[in-house]
């Protein structure tokens, strides 16, 4: 790597410092030659890798240019002496550099001399470290030897102690085992003797102790004597079980009446023994006692008895209540409390009753009526609630073959705010989404009997189908009798009362059915709900929407002028507008409430059936009613404006001589808007979003129709176009204020609505501006059209030419030019014609446009 030897070109001058310059050049040359030679030698020796160089920079950071790896002497000198005047202090700079060189040499010399003895010192330190390690190793070895000697000494000292500990532990175990063996042998002898004497009280405590002691001898079963004792214990347990069962069979025979006396102490103690024996003995005792206790019930309520039918179902529950009281009085203390015999009797009664009711209802299915079925279900659910208050339901999980029924009641259900037994038909209309107070904990006995009614709930479902059909017909008759809501009354625009009545009845049916079943009957009821939601939408809502007539009157300028003086009704009367708004509000309420109804039905039905509940079709039906109502309102106002637009298209715009106030057709349109919109807005105050939709739909319908009628205004003179532009601006202003027109409270129109109005009416203004522009030269006119309208449809351009009144020959050439200029962007070539009106239009035309703009500003 060679450095540049040329430093700075020093021009020869005749200045006073020229001698210094020459001297500096000589000195610099000499220094450069010496440095160059030294640099070549160093670079030949030192060549650091980039990694090493980076490490040095991190350890010794420096901002000095001399320390940089890409140091350039020429650039450094040029930095020191940027101008010729700076060469005056060259001696000082050279002295500083030499001083720096001497300091660097001294530092290098000191460092080099300091490193002469480093190798020798390192070797000496290494030797000292090795000696220290050897000494440390020797000390560690001595410590290890001493530790081993100490451990051996401790083992010798504790050997005798360990032997004594093992002997003590073995001796203790032997004594304990002998004691257990003595206790076991004596216990078995006593157990056999007490069993023969039926001393169950003593046997209960002794048997448990013998069983516990015998557990300690499981690992000694290989010893014949121990195995023999174990077999004697098993034989005693078997004998006790058989003996206890025989005692209960004797005390409570399968045939005949119960014992006349009170509970036996022997049987009470026998129950304590049964707790220790095989669980099957306990289950057998419970089963036989309950079967004997309920044998009378099976006889009294046989299928062929009158009291077995649903109308006397109360007698079943009254009988079991008396039996439970009788049991508590006579046998309550005979069985242990943890056996829960009272609850077991009640649960077995429920299983028997469920089977018997199912059997009798299958036999007499044709005799089941709705009132009778609901009466039986109500009495049964009340009895199940009584069981939940009296018992915990702990026996439902261990009864053979019986699983604990799942409760269908959702604790978060907002419909069940009424207490048990309260008539749900007295509920008032409430929002389904309103939070309700929490329900009591689930009833573990729910459905234990009432499940038998589920196959017959079709009777209830058919009854609800009939009742809802009659309710819909009553709604239709009431609507016809009372007539539609009147304008200016509280009913005007409000939700129809029949809607609230319908959902109150739905709520009552849903709560009632969910108490009966959460399975297929709920799905059937949901189908009924869907059917009558659609009927309500068709018969009450869509069926009562006013019909719009298709005939439209044609207004002349004279009739438009007369319209200012007297009120002329639109196609729909005010009462009809109120009715449409009321139906729209009702449909919105039905839509929201149907969605909530679907959520609550899914909460009440079994989880596996939730996918089958879908009210989307019914919600779509109400959405259609809302859309049709809005469309009727739009059509009514739109039709009211049609005669005015027709009059506009028939006016002689070519003969208009001066620009005046807004035209009569504009006044007529504004009058219709001011008549209809406030009525609609006031009646849709509770559904503001649908009023906004009405405004948007009307604007989307009116503006294209207005533009179409503009195209029919032909030919148009310049003054006529100015008048139309003024009228367009007036309509634009009215449309922008449409949401709040005639209102004392001024609200800013929604941005989406404002955007539609501005976009549509701006297009109408651009059309008129193109019509006002001169068609000469044609190229400028075509470019202005493309720029202002951005419409590549030749038909639209043809309509503009018709509005200007051009001849067919002129139109042909203009159309051909339009097709040629169409692909060219509006901002075409720099040398092309301008697209603005001001540059190419004559002075007179631009003056008239400015006058029109002033007139519009003055109008605003």
């Amino acid at each position: 790597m060679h450095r540049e030897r040329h430093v700075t070109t020093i021009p020869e001058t005749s200045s006073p410092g020229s001698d210094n310059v020459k001297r500096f050049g000589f000195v610099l040359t000499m220094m450069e030659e010496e440095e160059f030679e030294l640099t070549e030698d160093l670079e030949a020796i030192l060549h650091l890798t980039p990694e090493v160089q980076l490490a040095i920079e991190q350890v010794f950071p420096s901002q000095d240019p001399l320390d940089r790896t890409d140091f350039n002497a020429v650039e450094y000198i040029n930095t020191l002496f940027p101008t010729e005047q700076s060469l005056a202090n060259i001696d000082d700079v050279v002295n500083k550099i030499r001083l720096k060189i001497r300091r660097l040499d001294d530092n290098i010399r000191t460092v080099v001399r300091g490193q002469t003895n480093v190798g020798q010192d390192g070797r000496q330190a290494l030797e000292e470290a090795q000696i220290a390690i050897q000494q440390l190793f020797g000390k560690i070895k001595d410590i290890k030897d001493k530790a081993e000697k100490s451990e051996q000494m401790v083992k010798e000292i504790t050997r005798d102690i360990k032997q004594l500990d093992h002997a003590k532990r073995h001796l203790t175990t032997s004594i304990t085992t002998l004691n257990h063996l003595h206790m076991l042998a004596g216990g078995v002898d006593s157990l056999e003797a007490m069993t023969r004497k039926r001393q169950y009280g003593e046997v209960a405590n002794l048997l448990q102790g013998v069983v516990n002691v015998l557990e300690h001898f499981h690992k000694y079963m290989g010893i014949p004597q121990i195995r023999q004792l174990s077999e004697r214990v098993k034989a005693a347990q078997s004998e006790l079980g058989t003996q206890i069962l025989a005692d209960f069979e004797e005390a409570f025979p399968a045939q005949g009446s119960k014992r006349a006396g009170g509970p036996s102490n022997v049987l009470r103690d026998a129950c304590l023994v049964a707790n220790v024996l095989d669980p099957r003995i306990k289950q057998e005792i419970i089963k036989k006692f309950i079967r004997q206790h309920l044998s009378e019930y099976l006889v009294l309520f046989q299928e062929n008895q009158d009291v077995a039918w649903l109308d006397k179902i109360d007698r079943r529950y009254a009988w079991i209540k008396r039996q439970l009281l009788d049991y508590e009085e006579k046998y309550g203390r005979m069985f242990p409390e943890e056996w829960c015999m009272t609850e077991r009797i009640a649960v077995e009664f429920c299983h028997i009753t469920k089977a018997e009711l199912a059997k009798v209802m299958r036999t007499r299915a044709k005799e089941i009526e709705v009132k009778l079925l609901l009466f039986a279900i109500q009495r049964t659910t009340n009895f199940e609630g009584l069981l939940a208050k009296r018992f915990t339901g702990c026996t439902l999980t261990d009864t053979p073959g019986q699983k604990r029924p799942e409760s269908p009641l959702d604790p978060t259900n907002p419909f069940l705010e009424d207490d048990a037994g309260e008539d749900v038909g007295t509920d008032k209309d409430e929002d389904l989404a309103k939070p309700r107070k929490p329900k009591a904990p689930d009833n573990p006995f729910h459905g234990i009997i009432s499940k038998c009614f589920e196959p017959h709930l079709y009777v209830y479902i058919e009854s609800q189908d009939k009742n809802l059909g009659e309710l819909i017909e009553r709604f239709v008759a009431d609507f016809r009798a009372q007539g539609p809501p009147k304008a200016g009354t509280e009913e005007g625009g409000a939700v129809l009362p029949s809607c609230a009545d319908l959902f109150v009845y739905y709520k009552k049916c849903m709560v009632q059915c969910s108490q009966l079943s959460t399975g297929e009957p709920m799905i059937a009821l949901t189908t009924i709900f869907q059917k009558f939601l659609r009927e309500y939408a068709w018969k009450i809502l869509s069926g009562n929407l006013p019909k719009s007539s298709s005939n439209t009157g044609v207004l002349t300028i004279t009739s438009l002028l007369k319209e200012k003086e007297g009120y002329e009704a639109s196609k729909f009367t005010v009462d009809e507008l109120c009715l449409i708004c009321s139906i729209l509000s009702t449909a919105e309420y039905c839509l929201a409430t149907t969605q909530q109804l679907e959520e609550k039905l899914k909460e009440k039905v079994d989880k596996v059936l939730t996918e089958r509940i879908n009210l989307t079709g019914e919600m779509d039906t109400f959405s259609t009613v809302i859309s049709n109502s809005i469309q009727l309102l739009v059509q009514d106002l739109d039709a009211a404006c049609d005669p005015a637009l027709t009059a506009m298209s028939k006016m002689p715009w070519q003969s208009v001589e001066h620009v005046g106030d807004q035209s009569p057709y504009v006044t007529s349109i504004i009058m219709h808007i001011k008549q209809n919109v406030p009525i609609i807005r006031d009646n849709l105050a509770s559904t503001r979003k649908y009023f906004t939709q009405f405004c948007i739909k009307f604007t989307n319908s009116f503006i294209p129709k207005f533009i179409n009628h503009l195209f029919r205004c032909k030919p148009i003179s310049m003054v006529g176009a100015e008048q139309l532009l003024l009228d367009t601006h007036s309509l634009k202003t009215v449309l922008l204020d449409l949401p709040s027109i005639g209102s004392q409270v001024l609200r800013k129109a929604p941005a989406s609505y404002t955007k539609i109005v501005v976009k549509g009416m701006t297009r109408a203004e651009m059309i008129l501006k193109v019509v006002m522009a001169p068609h000469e030269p044609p190229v400028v006119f075509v470019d202005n059209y493309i720029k202002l309208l951005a419409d590549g449809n030749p038909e639209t351009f043809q309509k503009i030419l018709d509005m200007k009144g051009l001849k067919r020959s002129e139109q042909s050439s203009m159309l051909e030019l339009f097709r040629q200029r169409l692909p060219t962007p509006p901002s075409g070539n720099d040398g092309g014609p301008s697209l603005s009106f001001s540059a190419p239009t004559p002075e007179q035309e631009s003056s008239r446009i400015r006058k029109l703009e002033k007139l519009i500003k003055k109008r605003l």
Side-chain angles (χ1 to χ4, degrees), residues 367-611:
E367 301 179 30
I368 300 177
E369 298 178 353
V370 177
K371 293 182 179 180
L372 180 62
L373 180 65
L374 292 180
F375 167 78
I377 293 175
Q378 182 183 7
R379 293 297 187 268
T380 303
T381 53
N382 290 344
F383 177 71
E384 292 173 349
L386 180 63
L387 293 179
K389 294 179 180 179
R390 175 62 178 82
F391 305 115
T392 61
C394 61
T395 62
L396 294 174
T397 56
D398 60 358
T399 302
Q402 173 66 21
K403 295 182 179 179
R404 179 169 178 171
E406 295 181 0
S407 173
L409 301 179
D410 189 346
T412 61
N413 185 359
F415 292 92
L416 298 180
E417 74 280 2
D418 303 304
D419 295 330
E422 187 174 344
D423 186 7
V424 295
T426 59
D427 294 335
K428 296 181 179 180
D429 179 26
E430 297 178 2
D431 188 5
L432 296 181
K434 184 178 180 181
R436 314 297 171 125
K437 59 184 180 182
K439 185 180 68 61
D442 292 348
N443 178 3
F445 295 93
H446 180 83
I448 192 171
I449 300 177
S450 56
K451 281 289 184 181
C452 68
F453 298 107
E454 187 167 322
H456 305 278
L457 285 179
Y458 67 89
V459 178
Y460 172 78
I461 301 299
E462 292 174 355
S463 171
Q464 297 306 322
D465 188 2
K466 179 181 178 181
N467 293 341
L468 282 170
E470 294 175 354
L471 186 65
I472 294 295
E473 294 301 326
R474 181 167 63 83
F475 289 161
V476 174
D478 291 347
F479 190 91
R480 291 174 180 172
Q482 298 174 3
K486 302 299 182 181
T489 62
E490 294 182 357
E491 292 81 8
V495 176
L496 298 178
S498 60
C499 174
D501 295 341
L502 177 67
F503 282 101
V504 167
Y505 191 83
Y506 272 12
K507 172 187 171 183
K508 173 185 174 181
C509 295
M510 180 173 58
V511 173
Q512 197 173 46
C513 188
S514 66
Q515 293 174 347
L516 307 180
S517 171
T518 57
E520 289 296 334
M522 282 293 289
I523 301 299
L525 184 66
T526 302
T527 304
I528 300 299
F529 285 175
Q530 292 175 301
K531 171 185 174 182
F532 288 102
L533 282 174
R534 292 191 296 269
E535 286 201 14
Y536 185 84
W538 295 333
K539 293 183 178 181
I540 306 299
L541 301 182
S542 296
N544 289 308
L545 282 174
K547 302 296 185 291
S548 59
S549 57
S550 56
N551 54 348
T552 339
V554 179
L555 297 180
T556 60
I557 297 297
T558 306
S559 63
L560 290 174
L561 293 174
K562 290 181 179 179
E563 226 174 43
K564 291 184 182 180
E565 300 173 358
Y567 174 81
E568 185 170 318
S570 59
K571 294 179 66 178
F572 287 146
T573 64
V574 176
D575 290 341
E576 288 175 331
L577 291 177
C578 291
L579 174 61
I580 296 173
C581 294
S582 179
I583 291 176
L584 192 154
S585 301
T586 304
E588 184 204 17
Y589 175 82
C590 291
L591 175 63
T593 314
T594 302
Q595 183 177 0
Q596 297 167 12
L597 176 65
E598 179 182 8
E599 296 174 358
K600 302 310 173 186
L601 285 170
K602 289 183 177 180
E603 289 180 7
K604 288 182 171 296
V605 79
D606 294 339
K607 291 183 179 180
V608 294
L609 300 176
T610 52
E611 297 297 329

Side-chain angles (χ1 to χ4, degrees), residues 23-285:
R23 181 183 176 190
F24 172 72
F26 175 75
V27 173
L28 192 58
T29 303
M30 294 298 294
M31 289 179 59
E32 191 177 34
E33 289 177 356
E34 293 175 0
E35 180 187 2
F36 179 72
E37 293 174 359
L38 180 60
T39 302
E40 287 182 345
D41 295 338
L42 291 175
E43 290 183 349
I45 300 172
L46 297 177
H47 182 70
L48 304 178
T49 62
E51 293 80 4
V52 175
Q53 189 66 37
L54 179 62
I56 293 174
E57 291 178 356
Q58 292 177 353
V59 176
F60 303 104
S62 174
Q63 300 296 330
D64 194 340
L66 297 174
D67 294 333
R68 296 178 58 183
T69 56
D70 56 348
F71 175 74
N72 190 320
V74 176
E75 293 181 359
Y76 181 66
I77 292 173
N78 287 334
T79 303
L80 295 176
F81 305 103
T83 61
E84 294 182 5
Q85 289 76 11
S86 61
L87 295 175
N89 59 348
I90 186 172
D91 293 336
D92 296 337
V93 174
V94 171
N95 290 334
K96 290 180 180 179
I97 293 175
R98 286 177 177 173
L99 177 61
K100 188 171 185 180
I101 292 173
R102 283 197 297 273
R103 289 178 179 175
L104 290 175
D105 290 340
D106 293 341
N107 292 338
I108 294 172
R109 189 180 303 110
T110 303
V111 172
V112 171
R113 288 176 179 175
Q115 297 297 321
T116 54
N117 298 327
V118 169
Q120 183 178 356
D121 294 341
R123 286 191 294 273
Q124 184 178 356
L126 180 60
E127 291 174 358
E128 292 176 355
Q130 290 176 347
I131 293 172
I133 291 173
Q134 291 176 357
Q135 293 175 354
L136 180 61
F137 180 75
K139 292 180 180 180
I140 293 174
K141 187 176 181 182
D142 293 341
I143 293 172
K144 183 178 180 183
D145 294 340
K146 292 179 181 180
E148 291 177 353
K149 292 178 181 179
S150 300
E151 184 179 359
Q152 187 65 27
M153 187 181 299
V154 171
K155 287 182 179 180
E156 292 176 357
I157 294 172
T158 59
R159 183 181 297 115
D160 296 336
I161 299 176
K162 287 183 178 179
Q163 291 178 355
L164 291 175
D165 286 342
H166 289 310
K168 178 183 177 181
R169 185 165 56 253
H170 294 160
L171 182 60
T172 303
T173 304
S174 300
I175 294 173
T176 304
T177 303
L178 287 173
N179 289 334
H180 287 165
L181 182 59
H182 178 70
M183 292 170 58
L184 181 61
V188 171
D189 293 338
S190 301
L191 183 61
E192 292 174 344
M194 293 177 183
T195 301
R196 288 191 294 269
K197 297 178 182 179
R198 283 183 166 79
Q199 296 176 349
Y200 296 132
E202 291 78 2
V203 169
N205 297 325
L206 179 60
L207 180 59
Q208 184 63 51
V210 170
V211 172
N212 293 337
V213 172
L214 187 59
E215 292 178 357
H216 295 283
F217 290 93
H218 282 317
K219 55 185 177 181
Y220 304 116
M221 286 299 171
I223 302 173
Q225 291 79 2
I226 302 299
R227 186 168 57 252
Q228 183 180 4
L229 288 174
S230 176
E231 292 174 355
R232 289 175 63 187
V233 171
K234 292 181 180 177
Q237 289 178 326
S238 177
E239 183 180 355
L240 279 171
T242 305
Q243 191 170 295
I244 290 173
L245 289 176
D247 291 343
F248 270 94
E249 185 69 26
E250 180 182 355
F252 304 102
Q255 291 83 17
S257 59
K258 299 190 288 289
R259 282 183 78 181
S264 171
N265 293 331
V266 175
L267 295 181
R268 183 177 67 242
D269 295 338
C271 292
L272 298 178
V273 176
N275 271 337
V276 186
L277 296 176
D278 191 332
R280 288 178 296 179
I281 303 299
K282 170 185 172 182
Q283 294 294 340
E284 188 68 21
I285 294 172

Side-chain angles (χ1 to χ4, degrees), residues 654-707:
Q654 192 177 17
S655 60
V656 176
E657 298 179 353
H658 62 277
V659 178
D661 202 353
Q662 64 186 22
S663 301
Y665 75 89
V666 176
T667 304
S668 175
I669 292 173
I670 295 174
M671 182 190 67
H672 286 300
I673 290 176
K674 289 184 176 180
Q675 286 175 357
N676 283 29
V677 173
I679 297 173
I680 297 172
R681 182 182 59 245
D682 294 342
N683 284 278
L684 295 181
S686 59
T687 56
R688 188 72 185 178
K689 63 178 180 179
Y690 292 115
F691 173 70
T692 303
Q693 288 187 20
F694 158 76
C695 294
I696 292 175
K697 286 189 176 183
F698 171 72
T699 305
N700 284 330
S701 173
F702 174 79
I703 293 179
K705 186 178 293 187
F706 174 72
I707 292 176

Side-chain angles (χ1 to χ4, degrees), residues 788-804:
L788 293 177
L789 290 183
D791 189 349
N793 189 355
E795 295 181 1
T796 306
F797 187 69
Q798 176 76 49
K799 293 177 181 178
I800 296 293
L801 298 179
D802 291 340
M803 292 173 69
K804 291 182 68 63

